[in-house]
Amino acid sequence: MNDTHHAAPPSTLLDVARQAGVSPSTVSRILNGTARVSDDKRDAVLAAIAHMKFAPNQMAQGLKKGRSMTIGIVVQDISSPFFDESLRGVDDGLKGTGYASVIVSGHWNAQEEEDRIRLLLARKVDGIILLSGRISDQSVLDFSQQRPIVSTGRQIATHNAIGFKMDNEYGAYLAVRHLIELGHRRIAFVAGPSNNSDAAERLTGYEKALREADIALDPKLMAEGDFHEASGMLAMNHLFDTQQQFTAVFAANDLSAYGVRLCLYRKGIRVPDDISLVGFDDLPGSSYTTPPLTTIRQPLYDIGRIATEALLALINGEAVQAAIPPLELVVRETTRRVR
Amino acid sequence: MNDTHHAAPPSTLLDVARQAGVSPSTVSRILNGTARVSDDKRDAVLAAIAHMKFAPNQMAQGLKKGRSMTIGIVVQDISSPFFDESLRGVDDGLKGTGYASVIVSGHWNAQEEEDRIRLLLARKVDGIILLSGRISDQSVLDFSQQRPIVSTGRQIATHNAIGFKMDNEYGAYLAVRHLIELGHRRIAFVAGPSNNSDAAERLTGYEKALREADIALDPKLMAEGDFHEASGMLAMNHLFDTQQQFTAVFAANDLSAYGVRLCLYRKGIRVPDDISLVGFDDLPGSSYTTPPLTTIRQPLYDIGRIATEALLALINGEAVQAAIPPLELVVRETTRRVR
DNA sequence: CTGTTAGCGCATTCAG
DNA sequence: CTGAATGCGCTAACAG
């Protein structure tokens, strides 16, 4: 079973010290730039390091320094374009810092999310970024006693935990107002899951825009989805099955807008000629749908990037001053003036 | 600057031992099930653990046991649906194993990829999964001297490194044959980057299918893209600009097919009525394009999952027997018989 | 400028 | 069944 000839036993700092004829501390000093070292010794050590392809054992370093040089990222779905775009921001934010990240998923389940966070804490991550968590603010605050935490989707600000929150209500309001300005008055809404706070806020924005335009809210024009494509399609089918009349649809996120789009295609309804469609998020794929999707742009990449920079600041005890770009309407080609 | 009242100083195994009135070794034994312990002491220890919310420091454990319980994943683009779908497979494969993963990106650059791998090795990951690497097989073999490696896209099999390879040529052949069977003879090809081996193999498959049907290869019908949407659109524009005639397009991957689709939409060309389109990958989004994309299904999720199981087996010195489902044609709605 | 010493938190001999 | 002692690989005083 077990092969034992794995070759090249990883060399240690001690090996390097011996080979270079110096003490371990000298090697350590050179590695960390902790103190001045004479040129000849330095050269010898560097040569030994290169020769043995030595790289310090990060677990040992971490144990000693109390810093793992690792941060934890909690997402809810590791293969959703929504999270992945932010992860790219995190990745870029970490570039050149020496930090690596371990990514875990809460799968939209509060219990699992807490378990994962505990796992990260046991791994001694130096900080945590929470992307769209389900757990309570209080939990976050509790966890932040152990390690600094940056979270999206919540309004917190302590010495060890900060949160960024997008104004979902405003975004939805922008989307619907755009439709209203184009002359639409019968505007259907494919909502997100009611137990999701972002979804709830977007609903509020929808309502607000209608109210402001003196358009009566019609519950029959609203169908709940779950933020995925299939649910958008289902919701739309339901609207048609119940004979609703409308000239526009606002989907609570781009993914469900894709589903709506497919339903419309199946029914031979043209977009935007017959019906206008607006999404929310502006996922990378939304500029390449047919036709390109009008949507509310959420700065996903920036969120990841800024959260990372904020966390690094927290870790280093620096003051954090983070500003995330606001949501904005991106008019593409799925909306047009009602005839 | 630095706040020092971070509260709840993480308790150690020694703290637990003291609180329970036993020796550290006893606590360790209970934690690891290493030896029998009397019930009363066990209860006391368990109580102390619960009371102090103790969780063993994984860095210390790792240093001691020589196992970090972490595996490294190397992708090329952290926010590409292609990789993310495989990452989901990895995530599921790791579930319940106690392993966590640190994901790094090589950004399609061999040098960066090697650097990242060295980083992972320095972090003492217990194994590495390489998703579509750019580095040479020899490099992989060299790295595998230090830790087991499972890689996709290559044909290797040593005691410490195994590779899984999809038959890209066959997949492309399937795609083009499908088009030919529908009566198409002027089939354009939007290739992938020529320095990418998958792309090269897909080109070979395209050529093979044409040859088999006695259709002369027309270089003017081929345009090189880079696997991204924009390049698909550009390539298609180029084909139109140079007045090429064709009734079908085979795009080397789904992303570029999306770009092709948009170009066609812009020109008012209907799919599949005027032109048929086939992609490659079957990304999650491809069932929701308008119309849903006919493509070659690549078992992305399974690849991640199976690679993970294989790696875990390698780590544990078990025999690995992995079989990845073959590529298959998924006929959806972007292809139809030529009129 | 440099070597010696002492742990970081834990698992594992080795005695009892 | 259980405690004392030792060391994983590295850094940080502490002396020179």
Side-chain angles (χ1 to χ4, degrees):
Chain A
M1 276 291 198
N2 266 300
D3 280 302
T4 327
H5 50 98
H6 285 196
S11 47
T12 73
L13 181 145
L14 190 61
D15 297 330
V16 173
R18 275 199 280 259
Q19 163 122 14
V22 300
S23 79
S25 6
T26 298
V27 178
S28 174
R29 285 180 185 111
I30 295 178
L31 247 29
N32 300 290
T34 298
R36 293 203 41 128
V37 174
S38 70
D39 287 347
D40 52 340
K41 290 199 194 275
R42 148 170 279 107
D43 291 345
V45 169
L46 257 22
I49 288 180
H51 177 59
M52 312 175 80
K53 296 187 200 307
F54 166 77
N57 181 327
Q58 293 241 17
M59 291 202 296
Q61 276 192 168
L63 182 59
K64 180 70 209 178
K65 309 212 244 196
R67 276 202 160 203
S68 61
M69 293 309 281
T70 304
I71 69 170
I73 318 287
V74 182
V75 299
Q76 302 303 323
D77 180 350
I78 205 165
S79 67
S80 149
F82 178 85
F83 290 104
D84 296 328
E85 194 53 18
S86 291
L87 285 182
R88 198 165 59 82
V90 172
D91 194 49
D92 282 355
L94 252 28
K95 189 166 297 174
T97 64
Y99 274 91
S101 62
V102 7
I103 303 169
V104 298
S105 171
H107 297 107
W108 294 113
N109 176 282
Q111 184 57 55
E112 188 169 350
E113 194 177 332
E114 294 209 348
D115 291 345
R116 296 300 169 190
I117 293 178
R118 267 186 270 276
L119 229 96
L120 291 175
L121 258 12
R123 282 177 181 275
K124 299 297 170 193
V125 295
D126 295 336
I128 293 180
I129 294 178
L130 231 57
L131 264 18
S132 299
R134 268 284 165 83
I135 62 177
S136 68
D137 285 8
Q138 189 52 53
S139 288
V140 175
L141 259 19
D142 290 347
F143 284 129
S144 78
Q145 301 279 288
Q146 319 218 10
R147 292 290 189 243
I149 297 186
V150 172
S151 171
T152 65
R154 50 184 107 229
Q155 211 67 281
I156 52 178
T158 72
H159 69 109
N160 236 352
I162 70 183
F164 300 126
K165 187 153 178 28
M166 301 310 294
D167 192 341
N168 285 286
E169 178 182 327
Y170 172 68
Y173 168 81
L174 282 182
V176 179
R177 199 185 59 184
H178 168 60
L179 256 9
I180 292 172
E181 284 172 353
L182 290 174
H184 297 276
R185 295 191 62 85
R186 297 287 297 169
I187 303 173
F189 180 48
V190 175
S194 54
N195 63 353
N196 176 301
S197 63
D198 288 357
E201 291 167 26
R202 291 173 198 179
L203 167 58
T204 305
Y206 165 77
E207 295 171 340
K208 180 180 171 196
L210 292 186
R211 192 180 326 116
E212 191 180 283
D214 282 324
I215 299 174
L217 198 68
D218 183 352
K220 293 201 289 300
L221 244 32
M222 312 196 300
E224 183 173 329
D226 66 2
F227 276 163
H228 292 286
E229 293 97 330
S231 78
M233 184 152 172
L234 248 39
M236 195 67 346
N237 269 322
H238 174 72
L239 257 26
F240 283 120
D241 288 349
T242 56
Q243 317 283 328
Q244 304 306 323
Q245 302 295 319
F246 50 88
T247 60
V249 180
F250 170 44
N253 74 342
D254 282 5
L255 248 29
S256 53
Y258 299 166
V260 168
R261 174 72 188 94
L262 181 54
C263 174
L264 262 16
Y265 171 78
R266 291 247 178 282
K267 300 211 178 282
I269 297 171
R270 294 167 303 169
V271 172
D273 312 72
D274 302 324
I275 283 191
S276 285
L277 173 62
V278 182
F280 198 118
D281 279 347
D282 193 22
L283 299 182
S286 294
S287 357
Y288 283 92
T289 54
T290 316
L293 185 68
T294 292
T295 187
I296 299 300
R297 165 155 230 288
Q298 185 149 207
L300 267 10
Y301 172 88
D302 296 293
I303 288 174
R305 172 124 199 183
I306 292 171
T308 303
E309 284 160 4
L311 182 62
L312 257 22
L314 277 187
I315 290 175
N316 297 319
E318 297 162 6
V320 332
Q321 38 183 341
I324 294 200
L327 297 175
E328 58 185 19
L329 172 70
V330 180
V331 178
R332 286 205 272 254
E333 302 165 39
T334 53
T335 48
R336 64 170 264 184
R337 181 161 295 282
V338 70
R339 299 180 308 159
Chain B
M1 277 291 198
N2 268 299
D3 281 303
T4 327
H5 49 96
H6 286 195
S11 47
T12 74
L13 181 146
L14 189 62
D15 297 329
V16 173
R18 275 200 279 258
Q19 163 121 18
V22 300
S23 78
S25 0
T26 298
V27 178
S28 174
R29 286 181 184 111
I30 294 177
L31 248 29
N32 300 290
T34 297
R36 293 201 41 126
V37 174
S38 70
D39 286 348
D40 52 339
K41 291 200 194 265
R42 150 170 277 108
D43 292 344
V45 169
L46 256 23
I49 289 179
H51 176 58
M52 312 175 79
K53 296 186 200 305
F54 166 77
N57 180 328
Q58 293 241 16
M59 290 202 297
Q61 277 192 169
L63 182 58
K64 182 68 209 181
K65 307 213 248 202
R67 276 202 162 203
S68 61
M69 293 309 282
T70 303
I71 68 169
I73 318 288
V74 182
V75 298
Q76 302 304 322
D77 181 349
I78 205 167
S79 68
S80 150
F82 178 85
F83 290 102
D84 296 328
E85 195 52 18
S86 291
L87 285 181
R88 199 165 58 82
V90 172
D91 195 47
D92 282 355
L94 252 27
K95 190 167 297 175
T97 63
Y99 274 90
S101 63
V102 7
I103 302 170
V104 299
S105 171
H107 297 107
W108 295 113
N109 176 282
Q111 184 57 55
E112 189 168 350
E113 194 177 332
E114 295 210 347
D115 291 346
R116 294 302 167 187
I117 293 178
R118 267 186 268 277
L119 229 93
L120 292 175
L121 257 13
R123 283 178 179 275
K124 300 297 169 190
V125 295
D126 295 336
I128 294 179
I129 293 179
L130 230 58
L131 264 19
S132 299
R134 268 284 165 86
I135 62 176
S136 69
D137 285 8
Q138 188 53 52
S139 288
V140 175
L141 259 19
D142 290 346
F143 285 129
S144 78
Q145 302 278 290
Q146 320 218 9
R147 290 290 189 248
I149 298 185
V150 172
S151 171
T152 64
R154 52 185 105 227
Q155 212 68 279
I156 52 179
T158 72
H159 69 111
N160 236 352
I162 70 182
F164 299 126
K165 185 150 178 29
M166 301 311 295
D167 192 342
N168 286 286
E169 179 181 326
Y170 171 69
Y173 169 80
L174 281 183
V176 178
R177 201 186 57 184
H178 169 60
L179 255 10
I180 291 172
E181 284 171 354
L182 290 175
H184 296 277
R185 295 190 61 85
R186 297 287 298 169
I187 302 172
F189 180 47
V190 175
S194 53
N195 63 353
N196 177 300
S197 63
D198 288 357
E201 291 167 26
R202 290 174 199 177
L203 167 58
T204 306
Y206 165 77
E207 294 171 340
K208 179 179 170 198
L210 292 186
R211 192 180 327 116
E212 190 180 284
D214 282 325
I215 299 174
L217 196 70
D218 182 354
K220 293 200 290 301
L221 244 31
M222 313 197 300
E224 183 174 328
D226 66 2
F227 277 164
H228 291 287
E229 295 97 330
S231 78
M233 183 151 173
L234 248 39
M236 194 69 344
N237 269 322
H238 174 72
L239 258 26
F240 283 121
D241 288 349
T242 56
Q243 318 281 330
Q244 305 306 324
Q245 302 294 321
F246 50 89
T247 61
V249 180
F250 170 43
N253 75 341
D254 281 6
L255 249 28
S256 53
Y258 299 166
V260 169
R261 174 73 188 96
L262 182 53
C263 173
L264 263 16
Y265 171 79
R266 290 244 179 284
K267 301 213 178 279
I269 298 171
R270 294 166 304 168
V271 173
D273 311 74
D274 301 324
I275 283 190
S276 286
L277 174 62
V278 183
F280 198 116
D281 281 345
D282 193 22
L283 299 182
S286 294
S287 356
Y288 282 93
T289 55
T290 314
L293 184 68
T294 292
T295 188
I296 299 300
R297 166 154 228 288
Q298 186 150 204
L300 268 9
Y301 173 88
D302 296 294
I303 288 174
R305 174 123 196 183
I306 292 171
T308 303
E309 284 159 3
L311 182 62
L312 257 22
L314 277 186
I315 291 176
N316 297 317
E318 295 162 8
V320 332
Q321 38 182 339
I324 294 199
L327 297 176
E328 59 185 17
L329 172 69
V330 179
V331 178
R332 286 203 272 255
E333 303 164 39
T334 52
T335 49
R336 62 169 265 183
R337 181 160 294 283
V338 72
R339 298 181 307 160

